Amino acid sequence: MTSTTDLHPASIPPRLQAIGTADAPFHALLDGSALPEGTMRRVTVGELDLLLVNTDHGVFATDDRCPHMSAPLSIGDLEGCIVACPLHDGKFDLVSGDTAQMPTTGGLDADGTYHPTWSPAGKDPKVDPPGKKAEARRLTRVRRLRYYPVRITNGAIEVAIRE
Ligand code: FES
């Protein structure tokens, strides 16, 4: 297990830094001892829900909102640097910010390519509901994760945000 002295910020993938954070002030949000390697948790500041994740690439801070339909990633699963959403099985790569597995509902990926609905192994194929619901699924774009700058000061995890 990593000690707090090993804590370090992970690199933010190119072009995926949250808007307005380049010159935002850093806020101490969590003592590093509360986020052992291989864990993640939600930290709320005002109306902003953040996901803090400690991986072997370092500490990431993203929105605690799935890039698909905004479910809280903090109650999903973490495997290495892949975070899995609890709602539609979407998986997201924290290192690249890309979708590692499209949600079961399908839809458009970040580049606009369409992906059909799918079912997990062992489950019956899902039938698309008729009408607007199917259209909404088809047109929902799964975006990329957005990142907030992180720094570690005296063992505390600090994140650049605007309140
Ligand atoms: S809300 Fe996360 S995969 Fe749909």
Side-chain angles (χ1 to χ4, degrees):
M1 186 167 293
T2 312
S3 73
T4 55
T5 54
D6 299 325
L7 273 182
H8 62 277
S11 299
I12 291 176
R15 297 180 300 283
L16 295 185
Q17 186 167 327
I19 291 169
T21 58
D23 57 353
F26 280 87
H27 298 257
L29 297 187
L30 191 69
D31 192 88
S33 61
L35 193 71
E37 189 176 316
T39 66
M40 57 183 178
R41 60 185 287 176
R42 167 182 278 197
V43 175
T44 298
V45 184
E47 294 183 6
L48 184 64
D49 295 319
L50 291 171
L51 177 72
L52 300 183
V53 191
N54 187 0
T55 71
D56 59 357
H57 283 251
V59 176
F60 293 96
T62 73
D63 291 303
D64 189 18
R65 292 164 64 89
C66 177
H68 180 223
M69 290 183 181
S70 300
L73 293 172
S74 54
I75 60 170
D77 293 316
L78 179 66
E79 215 177 300
C81 286
I82 304 291
V83 61
C85 177
L87 202 50
H88 307 116
D89 289 333
K91 293 186 180 176
F92 305 94
D93 185 335
L94 290 162
V95 175
S96 66
D98 290 335
T99 301
Q101 174 174 284
M102 279 296 281
T104 51
T105 54
L108 306 176
D109 66 20
D111 292 327
T113 303
Y114 173 70
H115 297 263
T117 56
W118 62 276
S119 300
K123 288 199 179 165
D124 289 338
K126 255 195 203 116
V127 180
D128 240 353
K132 289 233 167 145
K133 201 162 181 180
E135 192 179 357
R137 286 180 170 190
R138 189 171 51 77
L139 294 177
T140 296
R141 190 186 296 264
V142 181
R143 299 182 181 276
R144 294 187 173 89
L145 292 165
R146 291 284 163 183
Y147 294 79
Y148 295 77
V150 171
R151 74 182 184 194
I152 310 296
T153 304
N154 298 326
I157 298 171
E158 298 184 340
V159 180
I161 50 172
R162 292 209 177 278
E163 284 189 77

